[in-house]
Amino acid sequence: MNERSGLAPAAALFHSLADPVRLAIVQRLACGEARVVDLTGELGLAQSTVSKHLACLRDCRLVDYRAEGRQSFYFVARPELLDLLRAAEHLLAATGQAVALCPVYGLGQDAGQRVTS
């Protein structure tokens, strides 16, 4: 096994967090449990969008849920995820969010659009 193939799980972790919707969901769940209906209302997203992204985060074992009657309450399954996000916030602050200027992954001239090559 070469050195780069050992990085594949870390790359998959960061890829799972690379979507702004998934990050918004995780940030909201960092404040406490929420149902899909709570997330759709608070984040202004469609139920199908929230459900799809929750499924991704559950598949990665980053979030989980507990059933209460007919309702499911989602929560951050690993406290280490919150530590990772706090570290990312500190890194962004320390670099002046320079990653946003990256020609490959940064933001394009229109906020929120990626530059493609």
Side-chain angles (χ1 to χ4, degrees), residues 34-102:
R35 301 167 300 161
V36 171
V37 68
D38 301 324
L39 294 169
T40 59
E42 292 173 29
L43 301 175
L45 299 167
Q47 181 271 327
S48 59
T49 301
V50 170
S51 293
K52 176 183 78 168
H53 288 290
L54 280 170
C56 174
L57 292 166
R58 282 190 62 229
D59 288 345
C60 296
R61 297 185 184 166
L62 299 175
V63 303
D64 206 351
Y65 74 96
R66 67 176 179 82
E68 189 174 298
R70 300 177 90 191
Q71 300 181 75
S72 296
F73 291 85
Y74 289 86
F75 59 91
V76 173
R78 304 293 322 170
E80 298 89 346
L81 175 57
L82 302 179
D83 295 337
L84 177 65
L85 294 178
R86 276 191 289 276
E89 288 173 359
H90 291 298
L91 181 58
L92 287 169
T95 62
Q97 299 193 13
V99 71
L101 301 176
C102 172

